[in-house]
């Protein structure tokens, strides 16, 4: 699967059935060659331009199923927000390198 295909899928929380949005970023651990988490922009942002800089960061272990059109996640507490500046230096964010 291509990363661009992964980013077009809707993210749905199976706990409450709510759509969280679409994946905007992936956090990778280059040392281990693993995806650490997926990043979904908070609902108050419009096309990534307007709104605050908080994102929903969903750890890979919380992904239940990756389907044709959706990614199902299990988040008991959707307050899993993190400021973009708090990213660990050992984690590489795929899209951040290619944005101009």
């Amino acid at each position: 699967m291509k990363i661009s295909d992964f980013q077009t899928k809707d993210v749905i929380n199976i706990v409450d059935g709510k759509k969280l949005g679409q994946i905007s970023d992936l956090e990778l651990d280059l040392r281990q060659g693993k995806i650490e988490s997926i990043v979904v922009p908070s609902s108050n942002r419009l096309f990534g331009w307007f709104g605050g800089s908080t994102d929903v960061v969903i750890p890979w272990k919380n992904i239940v199923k990756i389907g044709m059109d959706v990614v199902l996640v299990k988040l008991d507490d959707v307050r899993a927000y993190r400021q973009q500046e708090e990213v660990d230096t050992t984690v590489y964010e795929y899209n951040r390198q290619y944005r101009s």
Side-chain angles (χ1 to χ4, degrees), residues 7 24-28 38-41 45 48 53-57 82-87 91-100:
Q7 292 176 313
S24 66
D25 250 333
L26 299 174
E27 292 185 351
L28 306 174
I38 59 175
V39 180
V40 178
R45 293 175 72 181
S53 62
T54 56
D55 293 331
V56 179
V57 179
R82 181 169 71 192
Q83 295 291 333
Q84 290 178 351
E85 294 79 29
E86 294 178 17
V87 175
V91 175
Y92 174 83
E93 292 188 55
Y94 173 76
N95 280 341
R96 301 232 191 268
Q97 179 182 6
Y98 299 104
R99 291 184 187 158
S100 304

Side-chain angles (χ1 to χ4, degrees), residues 8-27:
T8 60
K9 298 179 186 303
D10 291 327
V11 179
I12 308 292
N13 186 0
I14 65 170
V15 174
D16 57 9
K18 290 186 180 179
K19 177 181 172 183
L20 300 176
Q22 291 187 330
I23 298 167
S24 66
D25 250 333
L26 299 174
E27 292 185 351

Side-chain angles (χ1 to χ4, degrees), residues 44-63:
N44 62 351
R45 293 175 72 181
L46 178 62
F47 303 113
W49 294 98
F50 306 107
S53 62
T54 56
D55 293 331
V56 179
V57 179
I58 304 167
W60 188 257
K61 66 180 180 176
N62 289 49
I63 295 177

Side-chain angles (χ1 to χ4, degrees), residues 30-81:
L30 294 179
R31 292 182 187 153
Q32 296 183 14
K34 294 182 179 180
I35 297 175
E36 289 287 319
S37 57
I38 59 175
V39 180
V40 178
S42 60
S43 59
N44 62 351
R45 293 175 72 181
L46 178 62
F47 303 113
W49 294 98
F50 306 107
S53 62
T54 56
D55 293 331
V56 179
V57 179
I58 304 167
W60 188 257
K61 66 180 180 176
N62 289 49
I63 295 177
V64 176
K65 181 79 174 172
I66 299 173
M68 294 292 291
D69 299 320
V70 297
V71 175
L72 300 177
V73 299
K74 184 176 181 181
L75 291 177
D76 294 320
D77 187 10
V78 183
R79 290 182 293 141
Y81 291 98

